[in-house]
Amino acid sequence: MKADKEQVTRSLKIARGQLDGILRMVEEDRYCVDISNQIMATQALLKRVNHDILQAHIRGCVREGLHSDEPNPKLEEALQLLEKLVP
């Protein structure tokens, strides 16, 4: 992985903690809007981490693959990932 592994790990651990907090909120029958806000915050964090990982992949692996005249499986992988991101 070409992304900053420490930063990615730290962010994913924060997201895991947020999910644990959301589960507690549900178990405690907390206010729905508060739960929804926490879910959206966790989604935003995961989206940001995914963005960083994909950006590092494109800047690293895909860029390296573009310097070749051979068919580029890394480019095809990146395009498939982008297709999944756009509904």
Side-chain angles (χ1 to χ4, degrees):
M1 181 171 73
K2 304 262 183 190
D4 181 347
K5 193 173 183 177
E6 275 185 40
Q7 179 61 39
V8 167
T9 300
R10 189 171 30 254
S11 294
L12 290 174
K13 287 180 179 180
I14 290 169
R16 181 175 55 194
Q18 288 175 321
L19 285 172
D20 289 340
I22 293 166
L23 285 169
R24 276 191 304 279
M25 291 174 79
V26 169
E27 290 165 355
E28 295 168 0
D29 203 25
R30 300 270 298 273
Y31 187 53
C32 296
V33 173
D34 292 340
I35 294 169
S36 182
N37 282 328
Q38 289 304 310
I39 290 170
M40 287 188 287
T42 304
Q43 287 173 321
L45 174 59
L46 290 172
K47 213 173 189 180
R48 190 168 48 252
V49 172
N50 191 40
H51 176 266
D52 293 345
I53 289 171
L54 290 175
Q55 212 173 40
H57 176 68
I58 290 168
R59 286 188 172 136
C61 300
V62 174
R63 182 180 287 160
E64 290 168 10
L66 290 174
H67 292 301
S68 168
D69 291 333
E70 299 298 316
N72 189 336
K74 296 293 183 185
L75 182 57
E76 292 305 315
E77 283 177 345
L79 290 171
Q80 288 173 1
L81 282 171
L82 288 174
E83 285 179 22
K84 289 178 184 179
L85 290 173
V86 178

